[in-house]
Every structure is written in structure tokens, then in C-alpha cells.
Amino acid sequence: MRVWGPEVARDYDVSSAEVFAPEVLAPAVEFLARRAGGGPALELAVGTGRVALPLSARGVPVSGIELSEHMAARLREKPGADAVPVTIGDMAGATAPGCGGFRLVYLVYNTITNLLTQDAQVACFRNAARHLAPGGEFVVEVFVPPLRSLPPGESARPFHVGEHRVGVDTFDVVHQRLVSHHYAVREGRGSVFRSEHRWAWPAELDLMARLAGLEPAGRWAGWDGSPFTAESTSHVSAWRLPQR
């Protein structure tokens, strides 16, 4: 895949170091372990295993779906990877072994926005639903579109300014699209990486879940379970497949 190619996979853990920090990762793993309730879990877009590996180490049987062979290869290099089988394919349509029997399907770190059309995002919800056992849950972590922070007439907003990396989002409000621009300097060399995203408001995600046959199971401002409010910049939302 063009975006998640070998160079991005090689540097992913370093460039995303802030979400590997224990104070960020541990609450996510704890939350997901509780929602799994000891049953099997499936991570869509499992990447290099940031969440799947520690969740597996907690005793939760974890499988993954991942589009990028390069990202999956990085996962396979890590301790504990043998316990996390990965199916290569699109999270909007690929089928993992055990389909229909998962207690938890989850999608973290804004990855639902990597699907660039509403149809693809709806398909992802449907794919998650068909992997769930009755009573199982689909959990998504995603940002709230920060449009209120854009001054009138402007379409760019920095999201990270550091010593070695600067990140800027540019917004296409009409089409619910943004492009994240990452500029980094490492060992005296500069690099540029861009990724496209389609955002969706919480209410739109709720409708996607309903179309997939899921019902609301909770929404929080973060993995710590804090209340979701009008000022929240992100949310963790759960939808449940009803018991038949």
C-alpha cells in the first residue's frame, strides 16, 4: 500500500511514540480487556501490534486484520507475535478465522478515518458486526473533528510541534476530508509523510452502527472512562450486537 509502505512501517513505532507511552497505552489495554471479558478479540488495522501484543499478554486471545504487509511484518518481529495471528486484507471486508465468534472487535487511534468514503466506513461497521458473537461489542477510538478551532477562512491546524517533528492538518470541510502532513528530522535527514482521512461525527458513526445491526453500548471521552462532553476532542465508543 502506498501510504503504509516499508519506510512508514520501519519508523512507525518511533514516529508514534506518544501513543506507545505507558500512560497512554495501559488505560486502552485495561479498557479493552474488560470489554473482552475473557473472550476472543479482533483488532482491525492491527498495525505493528501496539495494542494487540500487550492485550494478548493480558490473557485475551487476540487476532488481527491488517492491510499493509509491511506493518504486519514489523508486528511479527516482536516478542509474543506468535500468539496474534494476522489476516492480510482490508478491514472493511476481510474475514478473519473465528468470524462470528469474537467477544470484542476494536479499532483504535483514529484508524476508521483511513477509510476515505462513507460507504467504506459503513462497510467496516458491517464487517465488524459479522465478526461478533451475539452480545459482543465493537469499540472505536477516534477524534472529534476540531472544526471549532479553525479561524474563519483558514483550513490548516498544527496538531504536533516538537523538536524533531511538526504535524499540520489541512481540512476540506465540504467533503469531510483532512490531510495530515508530518515533517520530521532524524539524524540530520528530513522526511515528509502525508496521510488522508475522512472524519465522521459521533452521530454519523451511531447511524453506521445502526445500519450494521448494532446498538449503542457507551461513549466516553477516553480510555479512562471519563464522560464525553461538548468539549471532548476524541471519544471511545462501543456498540453491541444484540442477543438473537
Side-chain angles (χ1 to χ4, degrees):
M1 184 182 181
R2 182 183 62 82
V3 174
W4 308 106
E7 295 82 8
V8 173
R10 180 197 62 208
D11 298 336
Y12 181 81
D13 291 8
V14 173
S15 64
S16 302
E18 64 273 13
V19 292
F20 283 81
E23 64 272 18
V24 176
L25 184 55
V29 172
E30 177 63 29
F31 180 101
L32 293 169
R34 288 198 308 270
R35 306 307 283 197
L42 174 66
E43 180 170 352
L44 303 181
V46 68
T48 66
R50 177 181 71 96
V51 175
L53 292 173
L55 185 60
S56 173
R58 283 284 303 269
V60 177
V62 182
S63 301
I65 290 176
E66 173 55 48
L67 182 61
S68 169
E69 289 267 15
H70 304 289
M71 297 288 277
R74 292 289 290 162
L75 187 160
R76 295 187 192 105
E77 296 171 355
K78 298 180 179 181
D82 289 347
V84 181
V86 176
T87 298
I88 300 300
D90 190 332
M91 61 183 169
T95 300
C99 182
F102 288 97
R103 178 67 185 82
L104 174 70
V105 177
Y106 64 94
L107 183 54
V108 301
Y109 198 24
N110 307 319
T111 311
I112 186 69
T113 67
N114 292 145
L115 298 171
L116 298 180
T117 66
Q118 187 181 70
D119 285 346
Q121 292 175 353
V122 168
C124 182
F125 270 78
R126 287 179 169 148
N127 198 33
R130 74 185 184 92
H131 278 83
L132 288 171
E137 293 184 356
F138 181 35
V139 171
V140 173
E141 176 197 25
V142 67
F143 64 85
V144 176
L147 303 187
R148 289 165 56 187
S149 66
L150 285 177
E154 295 192 15
S155 60
R157 175 181 179 271
F159 61 86
H160 180 88
V161 178
E163 183 179 359
H164 301 290
R165 183 168 65 92
V166 173
V168 178
D169 285 335
T170 54
F171 295 83
D172 177 351
V173 177
V174 172
H175 299 101
Q176 292 181 217
R177 293 285 192 93
L178 69 84
V179 178
S180 290
H181 308 258
H182 304 258
Y183 305 94
V185 177
R186 295 189 185 91
E187 300 177 351
R189 295 189 306 165
S191 65
V192 178
F193 167 63
R194 297 181 179 88
S195 59
E196 294 184 69
H197 305 266
R198 180 194 185 269
W199 72 75
W201 297 97
E204 185 181 3
L205 296 173
D206 285 340
L207 183 56
M208 292 181 190
R210 180 180 295 185
L211 292 172
L214 303 171
E215 60 186 21
R219 174 165 290 134
W220 305 268
W223 297 112
D224 61 357
S226 54
F228 179 76
T229 72
E231 303 306 315
S232 298
T233 59
S234 64
H235 62 99
V236 174
S237 295
W239 300 272
R240 182 179 297 113
L241 183 67
Q243 297 281 354
R244 296 188 180 91

